[in-house]
Amino acid sequence: MDLNLTGQVAVVTGASTGIGRATAIALAAEGMRVVGVSRRPPDGDVQGVSHFGADLSEPDAPARAIEHAIAVHGRLDILVNNAAAGRVFDGFLSEGPDEWSATLNLNLMGAVRAMRAAIPHLVVQGGVIVNVTSVNSRLPADDAAAYSASKAALLNVGKAVATEYAAKGLRVVTVSPGLTATPMWLGVDGIASQVGARLGQSASEVADATAASTPLGRFISPEEVASCICFLASPRASAVTGAELVVDGGLTPTI
């Protein structure tokens, strides 16, 4: 299916690895010009994807990334807010104010700042914002309260902005992945490793047990999530705004 994205311009945050990297590659494969934003450059070059180095926890970084995309490509059609970080803790009291501030600053305010910078450009010819949250926005994790709260807040903000800007040609949608094979989970210091150290298990044992506990019985690939993002960002989903697509292998069944 042709998603009718050829020639459009996207900014994808957190684009060096995981879902962000997979999304940047998938959008470029659809004929888009993509600016991937991350602190570190990704491994290897992909035609159609350029890198803008920025730490999105810095207040001015999201605006600088948007301004760079406009300066290079002359327009902006899609913003994918994917950049995020999260760790697990030994309960609520072990996650201090500094950890809360850092998590909310990147996961929530980084996306909010990017939206504020992008919206004046996106409404010019009509555009799309895709916010990547998590199933933890609806299934709060007792060992990651700040992460869960940041994702719930971003889901809420997305719906509010979608309502305000629908009549101005701007769509805002949310993609909420479940257990996904990203460095956040499977990296050297990822969640599986953190939990394993606490339980006296290996990271692979934790990952295997966690995957087995989900209805799908496996990790979702970043590419599977990216495919959903691409569809929602495309004109094929032109009637979809304010909506959340849960990509979690059945982890959160709802009616």
Side-chain angles (χ1 to χ4, degrees):
M1 177 187 292
D2 183 358
L3 295 182
N4 299 322
L5 290 170
T6 300
Q8 294 191 24
V9 176
V11 169
V12 180
T13 69
S16 61
T17 61
I19 292 171
R21 177 64 167 165
T23 299
I25 292 171
L27 290 173
E30 293 292 333
M32 294 198 70
R33 295 167 288 170
V34 181
V35 176
V37 184
S38 58
R39 287 179 297 172
R40 293 177 296 275
D43 293 333
D45 295 327
V46 173
Q47 184 174 359
V49 181
S50 61
H51 175 252
F52 181 78
D55 181 349
L56 291 167
S57 65
E58 297 176 356
D60 67 335
R64 287 192 289 108
I66 298 300
E67 291 165 4
H68 170 79
I70 296 297
V72 172
H73 297 297
R75 61 184 288 165
L76 180 65
D77 300 277
I78 296 169
L79 167 65
V80 180
N81 277 317
N82 169 73
R87 295 186 61 83
V88 293
F89 295 84
D90 293 325
F92 177 71
L93 293 180
S94 68
E95 192 170 7
D98 290 344
E99 286 82 8
W100 271 87
S101 294
T103 300
L104 291 171
N105 183 49
L106 176 61
N107 296 5
L108 174 61
M109 292 310 301
V112 168
R113 292 170 184 135
M115 285 191 282
R116 289 176 59 86
I119 284 173
H121 303 286
L122 292 170
V123 297
V124 172
Q125 67 278 328
V128 185
I129 296 173
V130 182
N131 291 324
V132 180
T133 61
S134 165
V135 291
N136 290 128
S137 63
R138 297 185 182 275
L139 293 175
D142 58 9
D143 57 359
Y147 177 82
S148 301
S150 70
K151 293 300 189 178
L154 183 56
L155 173 63
N156 190 297
V157 170
K159 288 181 176 289
V161 176
T163 299
E164 178 180 356
Y165 281 91
K168 299 177 183 179
L170 173 62
R171 295 190 297 114
V172 184
V173 293
T174 299
V175 173
S176 296
L179 187 66
T180 309
T182 65
M184 182 183 290
W185 247 101
L186 302 178
V188 174
D189 192 33
I191 293 173
S193 177
Q194 296 169 41
V195 173
R198 199 167 64 200
L199 299 178
Q201 299 177 357
S202 69
S204 61
E205 288 174 325
V206 172
D208 290 345
T210 305
S213 71
T214 69
L216 198 62
R218 64 172 176 85
F219 277 78
I220 299 162
S221 73
E223 290 74 20
E224 288 175 308
V225 180
S227 293
C228 296
I229 292 172
C230 289
F231 170 72
L232 286 176
S234 78
R236 297 286 187 178
S238 58
V240 181
T241 193
E244 176 193 14
L245 177 59
V246 179
V247 188
D248 71 348
L251 187 62
T252 52
T254 57
I255 297 176

